[in-house]
Amino acid sequence: MRARLPFAVAELFMFVLKQGWAALFGGLLLIAMLATDRIWNDGWPIARYDALLIYALVLQGLFLVFRLESWAEARVILLFHITGTAMEIFKVNAGSWAYPGDGLFKLWGVPLFSGFMYASVGSFMARVIRLFDMRFAPYPPFAATVALAVAIYVNFFAHHYLPDIRIALFAATVLLYARTRIWFHIGLNRYWMPLPLAAFLSSGFLWFAENIGTMTRIWLYTGQSAGEMVSFAKMGSWYLLLYVSFVTVTLVLRDALSPEPYTPPLTESLAKQGPRSEA
């Protein structure tokens, strides 16, 4: 591919491929949602939500067996599952959205499968950091990032009873991470992107995935019908939730964080010049 395509096109293609490989768990969940929506019969002896739960458990087991995730990453992903399920139970009972199907493994109207949708975000983050050999620099004080993540998570609950402070939280993410660059590898070359921009772009992909979830009737927002597009405002919710997810992953990937600005080693700079000079 590098021999046949222009340098910039080959780099972009490799970037997309590595992103897709990092999102493997979430992609396989989306495929299962689409497939079961087409073939499932309500008269079958197992409910669709329960079948998806079994599928997700098997998938998680295979990721560990084939070392697509480490046990340390799996423990953090389990935390995603717990915190995500807790928020789902609250939001469903607050009337924000609902899971219309039946299922044996449901808690207060929430299928246990739903936790794996949050876990897939954690899986992606852990894998993408490893696959791209990412470095985050200069990274703000870790305690401040944890405090912001907690404030964002609490606001998802508290805004039902107190004023919604998400505008202030949006501003806080930009102020806290404004100088932070995500350094990443594509082949021998290292590039960087502002962290808030990466969060915004990622929220767009999650909004797209959320439309697949509602289109396949896994869940529906209050007043929404199957096939109706999810509001663009939900991108803001995902943007904020991504910071909670990111800080959770950094609990076990602290080596990727640097309080000082990052300068690529000279060997990387020379390697980056190599393909261009040969071309």
Side-chain angles (χ1 to χ4, degrees), residues 178-232:
R179 297 177 59 242
T180 304
R181 295 178 174 184
I182 304 176
W183 291 89
F184 58 95
H185 267 298
I186 303 178
L188 297 176
N189 305 298
R190 188 170 278 276
Y191 303 90
W192 65 270
M193 179 184 294
L195 193 149
L197 175 61
F200 173 75
L201 295 175
S202 298
S203 68
F205 284 103
L206 288 170
W207 173 84
F208 174 77
E210 193 170 29
N211 275 280
I212 293 178
T214 57
M215 181 183 68
T216 57
R217 296 170 294 175
I218 296 293
W219 77 92
L220 290 171
Y221 286 100
T222 301
Q224 182 190 20
S225 58
E228 184 180 350
M229 184 176 291
V230 175
S231 167
F232 281 110

Side-chain angles (χ1 to χ4, degrees), residues 158-180:
H159 79 86
H160 289 274
Y161 312 104
L162 300 171
D164 191 348
I165 62 169
R166 72 179 59 199
I167 299 300
L169 294 172
F170 285 135
T173 62
V174 176
L175 290 173
L176 188 62
Y177 292 99
R179 297 177 59 242
T180 304

Side-chain angles (χ1 to χ4, degrees), residues 46 86 156:
I46 183 172
F156 276 105

